[in-house]
Amino acid sequence: MIEIRDLVVTYGRATALDEVSLTVGKKCITAVLGANGAGKTTLLRCIHGLVSPRAGRVVLEGVDITGLPPEHIVRLGLAHVPERRGVIAQLSVQDNLLLGGLWRGFRERRAHTAAGFDQVFDLFPPLAQRRRHLAETLSGGERQMLAIGRALMARPRVLLLDEPSLGLAPQVVAQIFAVLRELSQLQGITVLLVEQNAHSALSIADRGVVLNLGRVVVTGAASRLATAAELRHVYLGF
Ligand code: ATP
């Protein structure tokens, strides 16, 4: 679904990604793991066109998207849920969701908005009860649900998520990860999940990639990574 080849990203003299190559399989969940500063967020931002690579390629379903504007990449079927959620606090739940589908043309929007609301409220019932409330009144877990819901309003085939478990209670994380599993298995959405919470991420992922200091150090089946003792200690911290 996504082919990343020899991606290099620098910030001034610091190298954040150093010849990163990886394949993200269609309809799978791929977990990107690693410590603080490993380059996980930079990888997602680069795929979404928010950061330009110094070298390398990002290919989405055979289309080279390297350097395309972010809104163009969304139109090609990719949505991104950034770290710390990025919902607009002063807007209602419903208006935040509407923003997710805004880039579509008027007719398409009219046809799909109601179905989009139904899908999001079905996946996240707490949002349905609070659809007219301001986002600032939501709990952390509900805000994360809203951020994912907003991305789904764009009807993506690929969903990028940056640390969705950050700061949430374990039972809320389990609820959100179960939805990610459902999106992948039942709706065929390809998920690229950046997480520091390696244990939870590997429990729902099909494959895992470990980054360290901007380089890919391990890739493999999630079940293998979860049990590899040396990885657990050195890179994953559990
Ligand atoms: P975290 O889990 O802490 O978010 P990460 O694995 O997502 O870490 P990145 O945020 O991608 O890592 O950062 C990779 C490296 O690039 C780090 O050394 C970071 O300090 C540096 N970096 C990230 N963004 C910038 C920026 N805008 N300007 C300068 N350096 C940056």
Side-chain angles (χ1 to χ4, degrees), residues 9-17 32-45 51 83-84 162-163 166 194-196 211 213-214:
V9 174
T10 55
Y11 297 111
R13 292 167 72 176
T15 301
L17 294 180
V32 179
L33 311 169
N36 278 329
K40 307 180 298 297
T41 294
T42 301
L43 177 65
L44 292 195
R45 290 176 61 79
V51 169
E83 197 174 357
R84 307 204 180 275
D162 199 345
E163 305 252 14
L166 198 70
V194 155
E195 266 297 337
Q196 280 202 37
L211 289 180
L213 299 175

Side-chain angles (χ1 to χ4, degrees), residues 5-205:
R5 285 285 152 254
D6 302 321
L7 213 54
V8 178
V9 174
T10 55
Y11 297 111
R13 292 167 72 176
T15 301
L17 294 180
D18 192 3
E19 300 193 347
V20 166
S21 294
L22 63 101
T23 301
V24 178
K26 206 168 188 162
K27 304 183 182 182
C28 291
I29 300 182
T30 302
V32 179
L33 311 169
N36 278 329
K40 307 180 298 297
T41 294
T42 301
L43 177 65
L44 292 195
R45 290 176 61 79
C46 196
I47 294 170
H48 190 190
L50 296 164
V51 169
S52 298
R54 178 175 279 261
R57 292 262 154 274
V58 181
V59 178
L60 173 66
E61 293 184 304
V63 178
D64 187 342
I65 60 168
T66 326
L68 290 182
E71 64 276 15
H72 190 147
I73 294 175
V74 175
R75 281 191 198 102
L76 292 174
L78 183 143
H80 180 185
V81 183
E83 197 174 357
R84 307 204 180 275
R85 286 132 217 178
V87 301
I88 299 180
Q90 305 300 329
L91 290 182
S92 68
V93 165
Q94 189 166 296
D95 287 344
N96 268 285
L97 291 176
L98 282 173
L99 284 178
L102 257 196
W103 60 273
R104 291 186 176 275
F106 177 71
R107 272 181 202 202
E108 205 185 348
R109 231 165 39 224
R110 201 168 51 177
H112 293 295
T113 298
F117 279 154
D118 287 347
Q119 184 202 13
V120 172
F121 294 147
D122 205 33
L123 288 169
F124 299 118
L127 296 183
Q129 293 154 16
R130 316 200 63 188
R131 62 188 288 168
R132 292 183 213 292
H133 293 212
L134 295 184
E136 68 184 359
T137 66
L138 300 182
S139 68
E142 288 164 347
R143 281 193 193 204
Q144 184 61 72
M145 293 173 192
L146 180 55
I148 296 172
R150 188 178 58 182
L152 291 175
M153 292 294 286
R155 299 200 310 137
R157 292 190 301 286
V158 181
L159 192 57
L160 312 181
L161 297 121
D162 199 345
E163 305 252 14
S165 75
L166 198 70
L168 303 183
Q171 64 271 33
V172 181
V173 174
Q175 207 179 342
I176 286 171
F177 279 20
V179 167
L180 298 182
R181 194 73 221 158
E182 183 178 333
L183 291 172
S184 150
Q185 284 185 335
L186 301 183
Q187 300 190 26
I189 294 180
T190 301
V191 175
L192 188 59
L193 171 65
V194 155
E195 266 297 337
Q196 280 202 37
N197 185 347
H199 185 69
S200 299
L202 289 173
S203 73
I204 60 153

